PDB file of all heavy atoms in Angstrom:
ATOM      1  N   GLN A 173     -22.466  -9.516 -10.552  1.00 97.00           N
ATOM      2  CA  GLN A 173     -21.992 -10.524  -9.784  1.00 97.00           C
ATOM      3  C   GLN A 173     -20.438 -10.799 -10.294  1.00 97.00           C
ATOM      4  O   GLN A 173     -20.092 -10.210 -11.320  1.00 97.00           O
ATOM      5  CB  GLN A 173     -22.735 -11.843  -9.965  1.00 97.00           C
ATOM      6  CG  GLN A 173     -23.015 -12.136 -11.427  1.00 97.00           C
ATOM      7  CD  GLN A 173     -24.019 -13.271 -11.639  1.00 97.00           C
ATOM      8  OE1 GLN A 173     -24.513 -13.791 -10.691  1.00 97.00           O
ATOM      9  NE2 GLN A 173     -24.310 -13.549 -12.897  1.00 97.00           N
ATOM     10  N   SER A 175     -19.499 -13.704 -10.954  1.00 97.00           N
ATOM     11  CA  SER A 175     -19.507 -14.945 -11.693  1.00 97.00           C
ATOM     12  C   SER A 175     -18.972 -14.845 -13.126  1.00 97.00           C
ATOM     13  O   SER A 175     -18.414 -15.792 -13.657  1.00 97.00           O
ATOM     14  CB  SER A 175     -20.891 -15.486 -11.733  1.00 97.00           C
ATOM     15  OG  SER A 175     -21.389 -15.643 -10.386  1.00 97.00           O
ATOM     16  N   GLN A 178     -15.563 -16.244 -13.882  1.00 98.00           N
ATOM     17  CA  GLN A 178     -15.575 -17.652 -14.219  1.00 98.00           C
ATOM     18  C   GLN A 178     -15.523 -17.903 -15.642  1.00 98.00           C
ATOM     19  O   GLN A 178     -14.720 -18.665 -16.273  1.00 98.00           O
ATOM     20  CB  GLN A 178     -16.916 -18.376 -13.707  1.00 98.00           C
ATOM     21  CG  GLN A 178     -17.061 -18.523 -12.268  1.00 98.00           C
ATOM     22  CD  GLN A 178     -18.379 -19.457 -11.984  1.00 98.00           C
ATOM     23  OE1 GLN A 178     -18.655 -20.373 -12.718  1.00 98.00           O
ATOM     24  NE2 GLN A 178     -19.027 -19.076 -10.869  1.00 98.00           N
ATOM     25  N   ARG A 199     -25.666  -3.346  -8.296  1.00 95.00           N
ATOM     26  CA  ARG A 199     -27.173  -3.725  -8.494  1.00 95.00           C
ATOM     27  C   ARG A 199     -27.998  -2.454  -8.168  1.00 95.00           C
ATOM     28  O   ARG A 199     -27.657  -1.706  -7.319  1.00 95.00           O
ATOM     29  CB  ARG A 199     -27.547  -4.829  -7.617  1.00 95.00           C
ATOM     30  CG  ARG A 199     -27.032  -6.196  -8.113  1.00 95.00           C
ATOM     31  CD  ARG A 199     -27.524  -7.335  -7.405  1.00 95.00           C
ATOM     32  NE  ARG A 199     -26.600  -8.460  -7.653  1.00 95.00           N
ATOM     33  CZ  ARG A 199     -26.633  -9.637  -7.039  1.00 95.00           C
ATOM     34  NH1 ARG A 199     -27.672  -9.864  -6.192  1.00 95.00           N
ATOM     35  NH2 ARG A 199     -25.750 -10.596  -7.296  1.00 95.00           N
ATOM     36  N   GLN A 213     -18.084  -8.960  -3.784  1.00 98.00           N
ATOM     37  CA  GLN A 213     -18.266 -10.400  -3.789  1.00 98.00           C
ATOM     38  C   GLN A 213     -16.935 -11.107  -3.954  1.00 98.00           C
ATOM     39  O   GLN A 213     -15.969 -10.504  -4.344  1.00 98.00           O
ATOM     40  CB  GLN A 213     -19.174 -10.779  -4.984  1.00 98.00           C
ATOM     41  CG  GLN A 213     -20.684 -10.510  -4.738  1.00 98.00           C
ATOM     42  CD  GLN A 213     -21.524 -11.229  -5.853  1.00 98.00           C
ATOM     43  OE1 GLN A 213     -21.026 -11.541  -6.912  1.00 98.00           O
ATOM     44  NE2 GLN A 213     -22.814 -11.473  -5.467  1.00 98.00           N
ATOM     45  N   GLU A 215     -15.773 -14.792  -5.735  1.00 98.00           N
ATOM     46  CA  GLU A 215     -16.187 -15.928  -6.520  1.00 98.00           C
ATOM     47  C   GLU A 215     -15.125 -17.053  -6.407  1.00 98.00           C
ATOM     48  O   GLU A 215     -13.883 -16.681  -6.378  1.00 98.00           O
ATOM     49  CB  GLU A 215     -16.247 -15.488  -7.988  1.00 98.00           C
ATOM     50  CG  GLU A 215     -17.002 -16.480  -8.870  1.00 98.00           C
ATOM     51  CD  GLU A 215     -18.475 -16.338  -8.784  1.00 98.00           C
ATOM     52  OE1 GLU A 215     -18.947 -15.303  -8.119  1.00 98.00           O
ATOM     53  OE2 GLU A 215     -19.244 -17.234  -9.250  1.00 98.00           O
ATOM     54  N   PHE A 253     -29.636 -21.544  -8.706  1.00 95.00           N
ATOM     55  CA  PHE A 253     -28.796 -20.560  -9.387  1.00 95.00           C
ATOM     56  C   PHE A 253     -28.842 -20.944 -10.856  1.00 95.00           C
ATOM     57  O   PHE A 253     -28.702 -22.162 -11.065  1.00 95.00           O
ATOM     58  CB  PHE A 253     -27.464 -20.407  -8.832  1.00 95.00           C
ATOM     59  CG  PHE A 253     -27.448 -19.803  -7.485  1.00 95.00           C
ATOM     60  CD1 PHE A 253     -27.181 -20.741  -6.361  1.00 95.00           C
ATOM     61  CD2 PHE A 253     -27.677 -18.470  -7.256  1.00 95.00           C
ATOM     62  CE1 PHE A 253     -27.061 -20.164  -5.041  1.00 95.00           C
ATOM     63  CE2 PHE A 253     -27.645 -17.968  -5.955  1.00 95.00           C
ATOM     64  CZ  PHE A 253     -27.317 -18.846  -4.893  1.00 95.00           C
ATOM     65  N   PHE A 255     -26.636 -21.004 -13.090  1.00 96.00           N
ATOM     66  CA  PHE A 255     -25.398 -21.476 -13.706  1.00 96.00           C
ATOM     67  C   PHE A 255     -24.764 -22.677 -12.849  1.00 96.00           C
ATOM     68  O   PHE A 255     -23.774 -23.207 -13.189  1.00 96.00           O
ATOM     69  CB  PHE A 255     -24.268 -20.384 -13.744  1.00 96.00           C
ATOM     70  CG  PHE A 255     -24.340 -19.496 -12.508  1.00 96.00           C
ATOM     71  CD1 PHE A 255     -23.594 -19.789 -11.407  1.00 96.00           C
ATOM     72  CD2 PHE A 255     -25.145 -18.352 -12.493  1.00 96.00           C
ATOM     73  CE1 PHE A 255     -23.633 -18.943 -10.327  1.00 96.00           C
ATOM     74  CE2 PHE A 255     -25.221 -17.564 -11.393  1.00 96.00           C
ATOM     75  CZ  PHE A 255     -24.458 -17.787 -10.325  1.00 96.00           C
ATOM     76  N   THR A 256     -25.521 -23.131 -11.883  1.00 97.00           N
ATOM     77  CA  THR A 256     -25.113 -24.397 -11.159  1.00 97.00           C
ATOM     78  C   THR A 256     -26.263 -25.332 -11.074  1.00 97.00           C
ATOM     79  O   THR A 256     -27.432 -24.886 -11.024  1.00 97.00           O
ATOM     80  CB  THR A 256     -24.614 -24.027  -9.786  1.00 97.00           C
ATOM     81  OG1 THR A 256     -25.488 -23.052  -9.126  1.00 97.00           O
ATOM     82  CG2 THR A 256     -23.237 -23.509  -9.800  1.00 97.00           C
ATOM     83  N   GLY A 280     -23.561 -18.738  -1.943  1.00 98.00           N
ATOM     84  CA  GLY A 280     -24.292 -19.550  -2.950  1.00 98.00           C
ATOM     85  C   GLY A 280     -23.251 -20.463  -3.528  1.00 98.00           C
ATOM     86  O   GLY A 280     -22.100 -20.102  -3.643  1.00 98.00           O
ATOM     87  N   ALA A 281     -23.700 -21.625  -3.928  1.00 98.00           N
ATOM     88  CA  ALA A 281     -22.769 -22.527  -4.504  1.00 98.00           C
ATOM     89  C   ALA A 281     -23.439 -23.614  -5.346  1.00 98.00           C
ATOM     90  O   ALA A 281     -24.669 -23.662  -5.328  1.00 98.00           O
ATOM     91  CB  ALA A 281     -21.845 -23.189  -3.371  1.00 98.00           C
ATOM     92  N   GLY A 282     -22.653 -24.472  -5.940  1.00 98.00           N
ATOM     93  CA  GLY A 282     -23.278 -25.532  -6.711  1.00 98.00           C
ATOM     94  C   GLY A 282     -22.298 -26.225  -7.637  1.00 98.00           C
ATOM     95  O   GLY A 282     -21.127 -25.740  -7.714  1.00 98.00           O
ATOM     96  N   ALA A 303     -18.734 -24.291  -8.015  1.00 98.00           N
ATOM     97  CA  ALA A 303     -18.466 -22.803  -7.880  1.00 98.00           C
ATOM     98  C   ALA A 303     -19.115 -22.339  -6.647  1.00 98.00           C
ATOM     99  O   ALA A 303     -20.033 -22.983  -6.091  1.00 98.00           O
ATOM    100  CB  ALA A 303     -19.043 -22.102  -9.139  1.00 98.00           C
ATOM    101  N   PHE A 304     -18.665 -21.179  -6.116  1.00 98.00           N
ATOM    102  CA  PHE A 304     -19.318 -20.581  -4.986  1.00 98.00           C
ATOM    103  C   PHE A 304     -19.100 -19.154  -5.108  1.00 98.00           C
ATOM    104  O   PHE A 304     -18.159 -18.575  -5.673  1.00 98.00           O
ATOM    105  CB  PHE A 304     -18.734 -21.155  -3.696  1.00 98.00           C
ATOM    106  CG  PHE A 304     -17.258 -21.183  -3.590  1.00 98.00           C
ATOM    107  CD1 PHE A 304     -16.502 -20.144  -3.015  1.00 98.00           C
ATOM    108  CD2 PHE A 304     -16.469 -22.249  -4.105  1.00 98.00           C
ATOM    109  CE1 PHE A 304     -15.210 -20.177  -2.849  1.00 98.00           C
ATOM    110  CE2 PHE A 304     -15.076 -22.280  -3.974  1.00 98.00           C
ATOM    111  CZ  PHE A 304     -14.434 -21.229  -3.368  1.00 98.00           C
ATOM    112  N   GLY A 305     -19.991 -18.398  -4.411  1.00 98.00           N
ATOM    113  CA  GLY A 305     -19.889 -16.928  -4.388  1.00 98.00           C
ATOM    114  C   GLY A 305     -20.401 -16.387  -3.075  1.00 98.00           C
ATOM    115  O   GLY A 305     -21.450 -16.930  -2.575  1.00 98.00           O
TER     116      GLY A 305
HETATM  117  N1  DAH B 401     -23.486 -14.963  -8.348  1.00 88.90           N
HETATM  118  C1  DAH B 401     -24.402 -15.372  -7.282  1.00 88.90           C
HETATM  119  C2  DAH B 401     -25.068 -14.084  -6.799  1.00 88.90           C
HETATM  120  O1  DAH B 401     -24.581 -12.990  -6.997  1.00 88.90           O
HETATM  121  C3  DAH B 401     -23.642 -16.006  -6.169  1.00 88.90           C
HETATM  122  C4  DAH B 401     -23.259 -17.372  -6.564  1.00 88.90           C
HETATM  123  C5  DAH B 401     -24.134 -18.440  -6.366  1.00 88.90           C
HETATM  124  C6  DAH B 401     -22.058 -17.596  -7.197  1.00 88.90           C
HETATM  125  C7  DAH B 401     -23.702 -19.744  -6.712  1.00 88.90           C
HETATM  126  C8  DAH B 401     -21.630 -18.819  -7.502  1.00 88.90           C
HETATM  127  C9  DAH B 401     -22.517 -19.910  -7.248  1.00 88.90           C
HETATM  128  O2  DAH B 401     -20.457 -19.155  -8.062  1.00 88.90           O
HETATM  129  O3  DAH B 401     -22.083 -21.205  -7.636  1.00 88.90           O
HETATM  130  O4  DAH B 401     -26.033 -14.169  -6.175  1.00 88.90           O
END
Side-chain angles (χ1 to χ4, degrees):
Q173 49 191 357
S175 306
Q178 291 188 32
R199 288 185 199 172
Q213 280 192 340
E215 194 79 14
F253 294 104
F255 40 89
T256 43
F304 51 94

